[in-house]
Amino acid sequence: PIPGRELDGIHFAMDFLSQQNRRVTGEPLNNVTPILAGGKHVVVIGGGDTGSDCIGTSNRQGAASVTQIEIMPMPPEKENKALVWPNYPVKFRISSSQEEGVTRDFAVATIRFDGENGKVTGLQCARADEKFQPIPGTEFVLKADLVLLAMGFLGPVQEGLVQGAGVATDKRSNVMADTVKYQTSREKFFACGDMRRGQSLVVWAIREGRQCARSIDEWLMGKTDLPR
Ligand SMILES: Cc1cc2nc3c(=O)[nH]c(=O)nc-3n(C[C@H](O)[C@H](O)[C@H](O)COP(=O)(O)OP(=O)(O)OC[C@H]3O[C@@H](n4cnc5c(N)ncnc54)[C@H](O)[C@@H]3O)c2cc1C
């Protein structure tokens, strides 16, 4: 929520990516407004996998330029194994989409969007300090006709399934369940994958899905001491 957010040409990454999936598979777009990067200066805000997908898609659509900005500082070239083991090491990585062509910048905070006639024309940015706040005197402008917001996953949608089921959630709004039984606070409800651990990776979803299926099977067969 920064000034200029309402301008045309600023979109959530998922709106951009999901309609491109439909184009590729030949499915109807269902009356959504087309979001296309062809001939445009594209700025992707967010340096994760979703951001990478936006870069690859923008390049394939023929973007004039693609810039990716990340609020976190640039990670080190090499991981510090002693510091991070056994966790996944934090180090500078280049995704296959980034390899195809993008200008990347780190420790960048967006202050506001500029526009003309209701359409975005650029971003007012500044270097971000360790608290992600803009550092005065470091402001700069990025030209943009299309801005893709590839950050800010807030957790599973609460309205509907989660609230309807009445299952307990953690402080990040994920559904609470352990990684042995996957049973939630309600005995007939099990949770796994992104719903349980938050936005993550496919390999985790597969692992949790399989383990959860086993736990449910054992529960149905009366082979565990879980509440029934
Ligand atoms: C743009 C993007 C790029 C990503 N890139 C990568 C990557 O490069 N590598 C990687 O490892 N991970 C990546 N991820 C993360 C990865 O996609 C997820 O971690 C993974 O898909 C989680 O799997 P899941 O089965 O837990 O949840 P999901 O894949 O979200 O599946 C949940 C399913 O439940 C369905 N559903 C929702 N509500 C209901 C309901 N009420 N009733 C029935 N069904 C319902 C949904 O439609 C969906 O099909 C990316 C994610 C995004 C969004």
Side-chain angles (χ1 to χ4, degrees):
I2 56 170
R5 172 65 184 87
E6 72 291 346
L7 290 164
D8 273 357
I10 305 170
H11 300 278
F12 287 119
M14 289 304 288
D15 293 336
F16 174 64
L17 294 173
S18 54
Q19 62 171 252
Q20 180 63 9
N21 277 359
R22 288 180 164 271
R23 265 183 218 107
V24 170
T25 54
E27 289 169 89
L29 290 191
N30 295 337
N31 296 327
V32 295
T33 310
I35 308 168
L36 293 164
K40 293 182 183 158
H41 295 285
V42 180
V43 174
V44 178
I45 307 182
D49 285 335
T50 303
S52 277
D53 289 354
C54 291
I55 296 166
T57 304
S58 298
N59 279 329
R60 279 163 183 73
Q61 290 183 354
S65 71
V66 186
T67 305
Q68 182 182 36
I69 55 175
E70 163 60 52
I71 201 162
M72 301 282 285
M74 186 172 165
E77 293 277 339
K78 282 194 169 176
E79 74 266 29
N80 182 341
K81 282 210 174 92
L83 207 64
V84 296
W85 190 92
N87 291 321
Y88 196 61
V90 176
K91 68 171 177 183
F92 183 72
R93 292 167 199 280
I94 303 172
S95 71
S96 55
S97 300
Q98 288 164 335
E99 228 166 34
E100 288 174 357
V102 63
T103 304
R104 296 169 72 182
D105 201 354
F106 292 86
V108 176
T110 311
I111 302 167
R112 66 161 200 267
F113 297 108
D114 291 333
E116 270 172 35
N117 304 323
K119 289 187 177 167
V120 71
T121 55
L123 290 76
Q124 294 281 339
C125 302
R127 296 280 144 211
D129 65 16
E130 64 281 0
K131 289 183 178 157
F132 307 136
Q133 294 307 307
I135 302 171
T138 65
E139 294 82 3
F140 63 98
V141 177
L142 286 176
K143 189 177 167 150
D145 319 299
L146 176 65
V147 179
L148 298 169
L149 308 176
M151 80 309 208
F153 283 95
L154 296 176
V157 175
Q158 301 295 299
E159 309 78 49
L161 187 63
V162 174
Q163 279 174 2
V167 289
T169 52
D170 63 20
K171 59 180 190 301
R172 300 181 72 187
S173 80
N174 300 316
V175 174
M176 273 204 291
D178 69 26
T179 53
V180 179
K181 303 297 181 192
Y182 293 91
Q183 194 176 37
T184 69
S185 61
R186 291 199 57 197
E187 61 191 43
K188 291 182 181 171
F189 290 76
F190 292 72
C192 59
D194 280 11
M195 177 70 82
R196 193 200 68 79
R197 63 185 300 126
Q199 173 71 10
S200 189
L201 296 172
V202 169
V203 287
W204 280 113
I206 294 170
R207 176 190 163 98
E208 292 205 3
R210 295 173 78 159
Q211 290 180 335
C212 182
R214 172 191 284 248
S215 174
I216 293 169
D217 183 43
E218 287 175 349
W219 182 79
L220 289 170
M221 302 298 283
K223 289 184 183 165
T224 70
D225 52 5
L226 286 179
R228 308 187 82 244

